[in-house]
């Protein structure tokens, strides 16, 4: 069942003197439970595609339909609410809130959903176990390694059980062991929580783990292969 | 959680936060200290004016205030009616005459008050201001108690003789020799230089004012603030009488508190405005440093209103911390100085000419402190608006990538 349907997506940046066509007619469908990697060289449009799917950026043309909602027609406030309720984000630089502990970073998202404290605690415990660092619950991000921070970021992204997770270069700042570990955790969570994962990546390890690989080049889909 | 994040965010750059907190503390300390200083000073002047010079209210015959005619006298027995009022603590009668005081060397224009020395003690505290001699208990038959400045001008001392000249009830020039029994010094040298007190009976005899009649009844109420609404009651119950509350007897005393409050607020507003620029700068830096974090918050679905509130809360907490420390330090200093006072004797001459005591005892006023605390919080909110607005303008897709 399709969770994301993208039709003829166009995006041009006019910020420089020469217009840059970041996306040039992208058509893509992502089904529920997929573990998909979007790959391609720098400037191929991976991040732009992810930003538009996540409602962080607007296309010049085309449609992005998520669960029957055409998100590029939503207002700014509606997009924020939509992201909160349907999308989890994992960033290359982790982007945890440095003044909150690992657990608080996870519970923060749940609080935005208005989930009561007792349930927040249960869910954060569950996720800390799932990402394998329950003992780091009360530690702030700066005292964690990059891999541990990214695991917390994964737990945060999964906290509210979103329909899908957008991960922008999640392993780019990690060493091999940490990257492998993280990918294994995400793969398990994908299976266990049935959450759809969409990665933009250069990392061959991610490509290897992905069950579907979409290759972008010059803003177009060059190939789309399922394993 | 927002409160927690806001509070912890303040301490991400402790040095920067402490600098702005220190500036706020110093500003608020200055605000509180100067406010309580002015408040104490003005209240002292008010108390001195009311308790030494005017009383809470004075009752005259109709039109006496405008004409000052000797013949406009209150009938005997009015003081009994006045004293019977439940809000009246005590009252005394006076005969008031304009005249001249002359010593062997010089003469001065003065106001002569014919008083009942013992009754006067219950209404005003002028007897406590006698610095030399005594309050009408010398062995002389015709005693006078005069102000220190007048004594200096007339070059006389206790036990010296002065000649008082004035008109009697018929308009005939009259007068008498009095012996200086006491010399008083109030915080108002203008008063000290123009007032001579004698026994009411002596003055009545010299001016031919019939026994029991007087020009004024000076009243002390249970509470000075009641004067404004008690005065009309006396005007209704007493025949042909004007009851004048202290604010009208000495309008400048009434204005003093209002004016000083206005000045204090203006002063605090100027301090806060200056500090607000520092706060805006600090918060702009904080927002700039956290661009990526704010972008992330927007990305994960934190409503812009919450981001706005987070930054406002952070600024308000910063201001409140500095404000409370400053208010606390200010109140502690005021508490210490309220018993010892601040000695401004170096400027005593000028201050007493204006009626101010050179020893100032700062007094804090709960309403004033609460208002200042409120103004600090309001400044925090106002100072946070621009940084918060800048944060809201961020584009999340770009902000999350800022290094």
């Amino acid at each position: 069942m399709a969770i994301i349907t993208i039709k003829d997506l166009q995006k041009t940046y006019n910020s420089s003197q020469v217009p840059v066509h970041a996306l040039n007619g992208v058509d893509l469908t992502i089904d529920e439970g997929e573990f998909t990697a979007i790959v391609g060289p720098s400037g191929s449009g991976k991040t732009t595609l992810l930003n538009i799917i996540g409602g962080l950026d607007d296309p010049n043309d085309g449609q992005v339909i998520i669960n029957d909602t055409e998100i590029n027609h939503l207002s700014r406030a509606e997009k924020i609410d939509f992201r909160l309720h349907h999308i989890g984000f994992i960033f290359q630089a982790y982007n945890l809130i440095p003044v909150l502990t690992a657990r608080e970073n996870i519970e923060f998202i749940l609080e935005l959903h208005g989930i009561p404290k007792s349930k927040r605690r249960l869910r954060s415990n569950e996720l800390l176990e799932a990402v394998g660092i329950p003992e780091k619950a009360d530690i702030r991000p700066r005292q964690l390694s990059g891999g541990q921070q990214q695991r917390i970021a994964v737990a945060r992204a999964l906290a509210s059980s979103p329909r899908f997770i957008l991960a922008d270069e999640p392993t780019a700042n990690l060493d091999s062991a940490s990257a492998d570990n993280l990918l294994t955790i995400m793969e398990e969570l994908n299976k266990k929580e049935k959450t759809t994962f969409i990665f933009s990546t250069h990392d061959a390890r991610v490509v290897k783990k992905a069950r579907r690989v979409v290759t972008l080049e010059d803003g177009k889909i060059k190939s789309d292969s399922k394993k | 959680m927002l409160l927690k994040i806001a509070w912890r965010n303040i301490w991400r750059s402790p040095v920067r936060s402490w600098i702005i907190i220190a500036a706020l503390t110093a500003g608020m300390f200055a605000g509180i200290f100067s406010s309580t200083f002015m408040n104490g000073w003005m209240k002292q002047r008010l108390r001195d004016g009311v308790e030494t010079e005017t009383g809470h209210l004075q009752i005259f015959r109709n039109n006496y205030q405008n004409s000052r005619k000797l013949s406009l006298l209150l009938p005997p027995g009015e003081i009994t009616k006045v004293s019977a009022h439940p809000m009246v603590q005590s009252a005394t009668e006076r005969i008031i005459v304009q005249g001249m005081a002359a010593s062997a060397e010089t003469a001065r224009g003065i106001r002569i008050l014919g008083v009942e020395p013992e009754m006067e003690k219950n209404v005003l505290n002028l007897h406590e201001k006698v610095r030399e001699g005594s309050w009408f208990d010398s062995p002389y038959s015709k005693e006078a108690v005069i102000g220190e400045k007048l004594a200096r001008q007339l070059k006389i001392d206790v036990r010296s003789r002065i000649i008082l000249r004035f008109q009697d009830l018929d308009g005939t020039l009259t007068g008498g020799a009095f012996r200086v029994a006491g010399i008083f010094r109030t915080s108002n040298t203008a008063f000290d230089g123009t007032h001579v007190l004698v026994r009411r009976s002596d003055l009545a005899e010299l001016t031919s004012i019939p026994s029991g009649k007087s020009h004024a009844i000076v009243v002390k109420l249970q509470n000075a603030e009641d004067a404004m609404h008690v005065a009309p009651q006396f005007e209704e119950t007493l025949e042909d009488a004007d009851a004048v509350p202290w604010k009208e007897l000495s309008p400048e005393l009434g204005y003093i508190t209002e004016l000083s409050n206005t000045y204090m607020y203006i002063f605090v507003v100027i301090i806060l405005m200056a500090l607000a620029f520092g706060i805006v700068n600090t918060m702009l830096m904080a927002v700039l440093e956290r661009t990526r974090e704010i972008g992330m918050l927007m990305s994960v679905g934190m409503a812009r209103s919450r981001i706005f509130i987070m930054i406002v809360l952070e600024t308000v907490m910063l201001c409140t911390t500095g404000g409370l420390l400053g208010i606390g330090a200010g109140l502690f200093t005021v508490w210490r100085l309220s018993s010892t006072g601040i000695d401004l004797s170096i400027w005593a001459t000028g201050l007493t000419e204006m009626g101010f005591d050179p020893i100032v005892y700062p007094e804090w006023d709960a309403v004033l402190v609460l208002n200042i605390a409120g103004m600090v919080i309001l400044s925090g909110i106002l100072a946070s608006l621009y940084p918060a607005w800048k944060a809201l303008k961020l584009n999340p897709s770009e902000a999350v990538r800022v290094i």
Side-chain angles (χ1 to χ4, degrees):
Chain A
M1 183 189 162
I3 189 171
I4 302 167
T5 307
I6 296 166
K7 293 178 186 170
D8 191 26
L9 207 59
Q10 312 270 349
K11 178 69 182 177
T12 304
Y13 291 107
N14 293 310
S15 51
S16 57
Q17 286 183 333
V18 182
V20 176
H21 300 286
L23 295 175
N24 201 359
V26 172
D27 292 289
L28 184 67
T29 301
I30 307 276
D31 290 331
E32 196 162 9
E34 277 193 14
F35 202 68
T36 300
I38 297 171
V39 298
S42 291
S44 60
K46 303 186 297 291
T47 299
T48 302
L49 180 60
L50 246 60
N51 283 343
I52 292 174
I53 295 172
L56 299 175
D57 212 345
D58 293 317
N60 296 106
D61 207 354
Q63 289 178 301
V64 178
I65 300 162
I66 301 171
N67 292 334
D68 301 325
T69 304
E70 194 173 339
I71 65 158
N72 42 319
H73 285 174
L74 297 178
S75 69
R76 200 159 66 170
E78 285 169 337
K79 274 183 192 161
I80 289 174
D81 196 54
F82 188 86
R83 286 200 293 269
L84 177 65
H85 289 96
H86 296 91
I87 312 174
F89 285 88
I90 301 170
F91 305 95
Q92 180 179 337
Y94 331 128
N95 287 356
L96 297 175
I97 302 174
V99 294
L100 297 182
T101 62
R103 182 198 298 287
E104 287 168 341
N105 265 284
I106 298 166
E107 292 187 2
F108 172 69
I109 296 292
L110 298 168
E111 193 179 309
L112 292 181
H113 281 263
I115 293 167
K117 194 174 180 180
S118 56
K119 287 188 179 174
R120 292 204 299 261
R121 185 48 57 100
L122 283 175
R123 180 67 175 152
S124 63
N125 282 340
E126 187 186 342
L127 286 163
L128 284 163
E129 286 284 349
V131 297
I133 43 172
E135 74 283 1
K136 306 289 184 188
D138 298 317
I139 290 176
R140 291 199 190 181
R142 69 169 181 274
Q143 294 166 281
L144 298 172
S145 68
Q148 288 169 332
Q149 286 190 55
Q150 198 61 303
R151 287 200 231 175
I152 298 299
V154 170
R156 178 182 67 186
L158 283 162
S160 60
S161 305
R163 299 298 302 274
F164 62 94
I165 285 176
L166 297 174
D168 187 13
E169 307 270 10
T171 55
N173 290 355
L174 303 181
D175 59 61
S176 302
S178 299
D180 284 338
N181 212 336
L182 185 80
L183 284 166
T184 306
I185 288 167
M186 288 199 281
E187 202 175 15
E188 282 170 9
L189 288 167
N190 165 253
K191 285 173 186 162
K192 188 180 159 198
E193 303 237 351
K194 308 284 181 227
T195 308
T196 307
F197 277 79
I198 304 163
F199 304 93
S200 81
T201 187
H202 283 107
D203 192 337
R205 290 164 301 197
V206 179
V207 177
K208 195 175 157 193
K209 291 264 185 191
R211 293 197 294 277
R212 180 182 176 188
V213 178
V214 177
T215 307
L216 279 178
E217 201 172 284
D218 297 329
K220 291 179 180 171
I221 293 178
K222 188 184 172 193
S223 66
D224 186 350
S225 60
K226 289 187 181 175
K227 294 177 188 171
Chain B
M1 192 79 89
L2 272 187
L3 277 173
K4 192 187 279 183
I5 294 174
W7 177 249
R8 289 183 185 172
N9 273 338
I10 292 174
W11 304 111
R12 282 167 81 159
S13 292
V15 173
R16 191 173 63 204
S17 294
W18 274 118
I19 287 171
I20 200 74
I21 287 171
L24 275 158
T25 303
M28 280 306 94
F29 174 81
I32 286 288
F33 182 76
S34 55
S35 304
T36 51
F37 177 86
M38 287 284 282
N39 189 40
W41 211 15
M42 296 304 157
K43 281 190 174 167
Q44 262 172 262
R45 172 71 192 102
L46 197 64
R47 271 195 298 271
D48 286 349
V50 172
E51 292 174 10
T52 309
E53 298 165 29
T54 64
H56 294 159
L57 65 87
Q58 291 190 18
I59 298 164
F60 307 99
R61 185 78 182 273
N62 279 351
N63 297 324
Y64 174 80
Q65 276 256 283
N66 297 329
S67 66
R68 299 277 168 187
K69 276 188 185 168
L70 276 188
S71 57
L72 289 173
L73 292 155
L74 292 165
E78 296 293 74
I79 192 165
T80 315
K81 294 179 195 168
V82 170
S83 301
H85 193 286
M87 284 185 177
V88 172
Q89 193 174 317
S90 51
T92 186
E93 292 172 292
R94 281 178 173 180
I95 292 173
I96 304 165
V97 175
Q98 305 293 333
M100 292 285 289
S103 64
E105 297 201 32
T106 183
R108 283 282 185 278
I110 46 140
R111 176 179 287 177
I112 306 161
L113 304 176
V115 301
E116 299 284 353
E118 287 310 308
M119 299 284 280
E120 191 86 6
K121 277 184 184 177
N122 297 328
V123 179
L124 298 167
N125 63 8
L126 198 54
H127 61 285
E128 293 170 6
K129 312 284 180 184
V130 173
R131 300 285 188 256
E132 289 177 62
S134 60
W135 177 259
F136 295 104
D137 58 0
S138 73
Y140 310 115
S141 59
K142 282 196 168 71
E143 299 173 279
V145 175
I146 69 172
E148 188 182 60
K149 186 179 178 186
L150 181 64
R152 211 167 44 240
Q153 287 169 337
L154 295 175
K155 296 177 181 163
I156 55 173
D157 211 334
V158 174
R159 290 185 296 280
S160 298
R161 212 168 70 119
I162 55 167
I163 307 295
L164 301 181
R165 295 212 164 272
F166 42 85
Q167 288 181 322
D168 68 8
L169 209 50
D170 300 326
T172 310
L173 193 64
T174 182
F178 287 76
R179 196 59 80 167
V180 176
I183 295 174
F184 63 81
R185 185 175 71 226
T186 68
S187 56
N188 184 358
T189 49
F191 183 83
D192 297 353
T194 52
H195 283 79
V196 172
L197 283 77
V198 300
R199 285 184 192 277
R200 181 179 160 212
S201 53
D202 293 339
L203 195 56
E205 189 188 329
L206 290 167
T207 50
S208 309
I209 288 174
S211 170
K213 290 192 172 184
S214 61
H215 289 115
I217 297 173
V218 185
V219 181
K220 182 178 186 180
L221 299 171
Q222 309 285 356
N223 186 347
E225 295 305 314
D226 292 332
M228 291 302 281
H229 68 264
V230 170
Q233 295 173 17
F234 285 129
E235 289 182 349
E236 275 178 29
T237 53
L238 303 174
E239 205 173 322
D240 292 334
D242 286 333
V244 187
W246 59 268
K247 280 189 183 173
E248 290 173 26
L249 282 167
S250 287
E252 77 282 0
L253 291 181
Y255 299 144
I256 274 177
T257 347
E258 288 163 31
L259 266 177
S260 68
N261 277 343
T262 308
Y263 285 137
M264 283 186 271
Y265 285 120
I266 290 171
F267 184 63
V268 171
V269 165
I270 291 170
I271 291 175
L272 286 172
M273 275 176 68
L275 289 172
F277 288 103
I279 298 164
V280 169
N281 185 44
T282 300
M283 291 312 297
L284 272 177
M285 283 170 73
V287 167
L288 190 71
E289 283 172 4
R290 300 213 301 270
T291 298
R292 201 170 66 187
E293 192 178 315
I294 292 166
M296 178 277 292
L297 293 172
M298 288 173 171
S299 301
V300 300
M302 187 168 176
R304 281 168 189 256
S305 57
R306 282 186 184 231
I307 292 171
F308 187 86
I309 290 169
M310 184 181 78
I311 292 165
V312 171
L313 273 177
E314 205 172 312
T315 320
V316 168
M317 282 176 173
L318 194 67
C319 290
T320 308
T321 307
L324 286 180
L325 283 173
I327 290 171
L331 290 181
F332 177 76
T333 310
V334 168
W335 171 66
R336 293 303 300 260
L337 290 172
S338 61
S339 52
T340 58
I342 301 165
D343 192 351
L344 302 178
S345 300
I346 191 168
W347 299 291
T349 311
L351 290 172
T352 51
E353 282 292 340
M354 292 189 292
F356 289 100
D357 197 316
I359 307 288
V360 183
Y361 297 89
E363 275 184 46
W364 74 286
D365 180 329
V367 175
L368 183 77
V369 172
L370 284 174
N371 283 346
I372 291 177
M375 286 162 76
V376 171
I377 292 170
L378 183 67
S379 308
I381 292 171
L382 292 176
S384 67
L385 294 181
Y386 181 62
W389 177 76
K390 289 287 277 184
L392 297 191
K393 293 263 288 178
L394 291 173
N395 177 342
S397 65
E398 290 168 7
V400 288
R401 296 179 166 274
V402 168
I403 297 167

